[in-house]
Amino acid sequence: MSRKGRLLRVDNPTPPDLDRCIGQSRLAILRGLMDGQAAARCWDLPYLRQVIGARPVSVVQQDEPRLVWHPSSGLPVRQVPFDRFAEAAFVRKDAGYAYLQDDVNNIPGLDDDYRLPAIVAEKEIVRTKVWLSGPGLITPLHYDPVETLHWMIRGSKRFLCYPPGLGRYYPYPFRSRAPFISRVDPDHPDPARYPRFQAVRPIEILVEEGEVLYLPAYYWHQVYSERPVNISLNFVWFTSAWKSLRFLPQFLRTRRHVARGLAHVQAARSQRARDGAPGARALPPPAAPGRASEGAAVSQYRVGDFKAPRQEVSRLARQAQLLAVREREALLAVGFPSQGVGIDVGCGPGFFAEGLRRALPALELFGLDIDPYVLREARGRLPVARGEATALPFAEGRLDFACCRLFLRHVTDPARVLGVIGGLVKPGGFVGAIDASDASLLLDPMPADFATVAAARREWFTLRGCSADVGHRLPDLFVHAGIGAVAVRRVVVDSATIGREAFAQIVLVPFLQAAESVLGDPARHAAAACAVEEWTRDRAAHGAITVFVVGGRRG
Ligand SMILES: C[S@@+](CC[C@H](N)C(=O)[O-])C[C@H]1O[C@@H](n2cnc3c(N)ncnc32)[C@H](O)[C@@H]1O
């Protein structure tokens, strides 16, 4: 890596190179990344005319070189036959300035010409956009709430980039259609109207043919098309919740865009599921987690470590769905706010958080988890970050609320962790936790050998320094963590209400899962699983467990 000012130049970047740039919000020119791709060889005007022909594409057409993003109507995008656009923009040159900017998936025939670079293989690309412009065209100063790789396939573009911020850039009003567009034109800055803009200095970057610009989320940029023909593709993906929290005022201005992006991801996922793509098939019933490997005895619960992780995800989905309404009512009763910015710590695949966001749309909810497997699942439901809850790198006291569900049972020092979580919220902000206690489980009758299973599960938790009897202790833990005004509600989950089969899946199966590795006796474990199955068929059987919903205020 060579470094000049705040711009890095990286030849043949690796995924860690990109992750470093993302983590440091460092602009970078990446070279060698897209060499050899078909688009690099064949995309030019004649080729695009041949492939796209008269198909309609999204075009912005204006008289002025600097596009106008109107605060009340947005950008005037029209559908125009590609050949008409090409004729007007590049042959007759009589129609002002025209910019093709379309999702590449809307233009059949182009997506065979490129592959996603390996360095973004792990990112969930939410949009790949193709851009085509003549010389002189200028995109006004704006920022995007996503991470971007901008690949210059033909021609070149000059980027004037400015670090994240808000007040110095004079964006259009929050509730306008252009809250992420600056009113300042850096070429004519008008210091009398926009004095604070004088304090910022741009980084000027020429992105040449074949190069890829990494543009960090929330960086402001004004872009100039330099050559007679400029063709580029950009790949965008959601930034981490860390970054969005760091640049919170900018995130909040673009939350509707982020929500639309999330909807796009969800639609694409559903489509993949309908197409029967791998990983999206109907899920078989739950199975046990993988046996703890040697040296992993003190590792915590991680869905990604299960033998059948998708089955565990589907169990969590069912559990969250069955309890959602009553838990939410209880949470609201103990002071959970209906608006504000907050975090769900140990969010897992995000089903609980998704329910909260749906029911309380004014919430800005981020998720945090340590397990990359569940985060891949959660990403389509809410903005998430990977992190260890015992060492959160957030600034103290910035959030309106923080909560966690079925999470404190998986940490060794829940009072300390609760203190760390509580430290994230403003003084007077809300802290909430939901957890059950194994000790509150009632089974009548008890399935054969279940006492052994319960003891093995207790040992599973003890070996990891944790306890599944955390629910009834939550009020005490809150007090120890310095959280005041503690309120408690109980939600009794019973087989009569949700059905014995559902009760067995969401409550008893985890007992069997945890016990398997401790028992170390497959035959005994199989017999215990059969006994639970019989129990579900016994019309006289009844089961209940208590979930504790606790809320308080940071002092
Ligand atoms: C039982 S799941 C609960 C998931 C979700 N809250 C729900 O209610 O469905 C517990 C989650 O806590 C996460 N977790 C455990 N220890 C963690 C830690 N130290 N830091 C962050 N997340 C952790 C696990 O990866 C897992 O996703």
Side-chain angles (χ1 to χ4, degrees):
M1 272 198 200
S2 68
R3 178 187 294 200
K4 189 175 170 233
R6 280 168 290 167
L7 175 70
L8 291 175
R9 289 187 184 276
V10 190
D11 291 321
N12 304 313
T14 59
D17 289 336
L18 178 63
D19 286 339
R20 253 194 308 280
C21 294
I22 295 171
Q24 298 168 5
S25 280
R26 178 68 65 88
L27 291 152
I29 290 282
L30 312 174
R31 283 187 296 219
L33 195 58
M34 306 303 277
D35 292 357
Q37 298 244 9
R41 288 193 305 276
C42 59
W43 281 19
D44 56 17
L45 261 188
Y47 176 83
L48 295 181
R49 289 185 90 141
Q50 188 191 329
V51 173
I52 312 174
R55 283 207 198 92
V57 288
S58 298
V59 170
V60 179
Q61 200 141 12
Q62 294 186 351
D63 294 337
E64 301 299 317
R66 189 169 184 268
L67 301 183
V68 177
W69 199 306
H70 203 275
S72 55
S73 53
L75 197 61
V77 183
R78 289 191 302 141
Q79 290 288 297
V80 176
F82 180 80
D83 48 10
R84 229 170 62 207
F85 154 77
E87 184 73 18
F90 299 101
V91 182
R92 293 201 326 268
K93 301 181 185 165
D94 60 355
Y97 293 82
Y99 205 172
L100 182 159
Q101 36 184 286
D102 210 336
D103 189 320
V104 79
N105 296 311
N106 297 338
I107 311 177
L110 294 186
D111 53 356
D112 283 347
D113 292 341
Y114 69 91
R115 277 172 287 106
L116 276 182
I119 58 169
V120 292
E122 291 294 303
K123 321 279 181 219
E124 182 140 31
I125 300 298
V126 285
R127 198 191 58 208
T128 302
K129 210 165 175 179
V130 59
W131 308 80
L132 171 56
S133 57
L137 198 134
I138 304 171
T139 312
L141 188 62
H142 69 287
Y143 71 86
D144 302 303
V146 286
E147 306 286 358
T148 301
L149 286 187
H150 193 97
W151 174 26
M152 209 63 234
I153 297 173
R154 205 62 72 218
S156 63
K157 280 182 186 165
R158 192 161 54 90
F159 283 69
L160 272 191
C161 298
Y162 297 81
L166 212 53
R168 294 170 299 181
Y169 298 102
Y170 300 90
Y172 285 106
F174 195 99
R175 302 213 177 278
S176 72
R177 296 281 301 276
F180 42 83
I181 306 282
S182 171
R183 279 179 264 215
V184 185
D185 177 357
D187 295 326
H188 310 281
D190 196 349
R193 280 178 80 183
Y194 308 118
R196 293 192 300 276
F197 187 69
Q198 284 180 289
V200 284
R201 294 282 163 269
I203 303 169
E204 187 166 348
I205 305 169
L206 185 66
V207 188
E208 307 219 61
E209 202 162 290
E211 292 181 335
V212 176
L213 172 68
Y214 162 62
L215 184 64
Y218 302 114
Y219 248 79
W220 292 84
H221 48 287
Q222 173 147 308
V223 189
Y224 304 76
S225 294
E226 297 276 297
R227 296 299 173 92
V229 176
N230 306 282
I231 308 175
S232 39
L233 263 187
N234 68 8
F235 308 107
V236 309
W237 65 98
F238 288 127
T239 189
S240 67
W242 300 134
K243 216 178 255 190
S244 293
L245 281 168
R246 190 164 156 218
F247 304 118
L248 196 55
Q250 281 179 274
F251 166 78
L252 292 176
R253 285 180 160 250
T254 45
R255 53 180 285 245
R256 269 175 294 156
H257 287 71
V258 173
R260 269 206 295 276
L262 284 170
H264 183 93
V265 170
Q266 272 166 349
R269 272 197 186 159
S270 316
Q271 187 59 48
R272 281 203 297 274
R274 279 196 295 278
D275 294 348
R281 280 186 273 273
L283 300 164
R291 187 171 295 225
S293 60
E294 219 182 355
V298 290
S299 79
Q300 316 292 323
Y301 166 101
R302 303 275 182 276
V303 172
D305 293 344
F306 275 57
K307 270 195 299 214
R310 290 209 57 80
Q311 292 168 22
E312 179 62 358
V313 168
S314 85
R315 189 188 70 77
L316 290 172
R318 192 168 189 204
Q319 185 200 62
Q321 184 220 338
L322 281 167
L323 307 183
V325 173
R326 285 196 294 154
E327 284 183 356
R328 211 163 43 235
E329 279 169 8
L331 255 189
L332 288 168
V334 297
F336 189 79
S338 54
Q339 58 183 38
V341 181
I343 193 162
D344 176 14
V345 178
C347 63
F351 300 112
F352 168 68
E354 183 183 40
L356 280 179
R357 292 178 98 216
R358 286 227 173 107
L360 305 166
L363 286 185
E364 294 295 341
L365 186 52
F366 292 84
L368 177 126
D369 204 286
I370 197 168
D371 181 355
Y373 185 92
V374 291
L375 288 176
R376 275 197 295 278
E377 284 287 328
R379 214 157 270 143
R381 302 193 170 88
L382 75 165
V384 289
R386 186 168 179 210
E388 160 61 59
T390 50
L392 293 171
F394 284 134
E396 283 248 320
R398 288 188 50 183
L399 302 178
D400 300 308
F401 67 90
C403 60
C404 57
R405 176 176 182 271
L406 299 177
F407 159 71
L408 290 171
R409 57 180 46 215
H410 293 297
V411 299
T412 46
D413 187 347
R416 191 174 81 76
V417 174
L418 209 43
V420 174
I421 297 175
L424 299 176
V425 304
K426 300 169 182 164
F430 176 85
V431 183
I434 300 181
D435 223 306
S437 276
D438 278 8
S440 70
L441 177 67
L442 295 171
L443 289 174
D444 176 17
M446 184 96 107
D449 217 14
F450 200 81
T452 315
V453 168
R457 166 158 151 116
R458 199 169 314 116
E459 197 179 330
W460 187 92
F461 275 92
T462 308
L463 280 170
R464 289 156 179 81
C466 313
S467 166
D469 278 325
V470 82
H472 65 279
R473 299 205 175 108
L474 284 174
D476 261 359
L477 294 171
F478 270 56
V479 171
H480 276 100
I483 300 162
V486 178
V488 186
R489 291 287 183 282
R490 285 168 197 81
V491 172
V492 176
V493 182
D494 71 301
S495 58
T497 313
I498 65 171
R500 280 187 307 279
E501 184 274 329
F503 186 85
Q505 195 201 6
I506 69 171
V507 178
L508 303 185
V509 162
F511 275 76
L512 292 168
Q513 288 170 340
E516 185 180 8
S517 58
V518 178
L519 286 175
D521 179 347
R524 191 164 189 186
H525 181 262
C530 282
V532 168
E533 227 180 288
E534 267 171 35
W535 182 90
T536 63
R537 285 196 294 269
D538 178 354
R539 284 163 176 268
H542 187 85
I545 192 164
T546 304
V547 175
F548 297 80
V549 179
V550 180
R553 303 258 156 214
R554 186 183 169 186

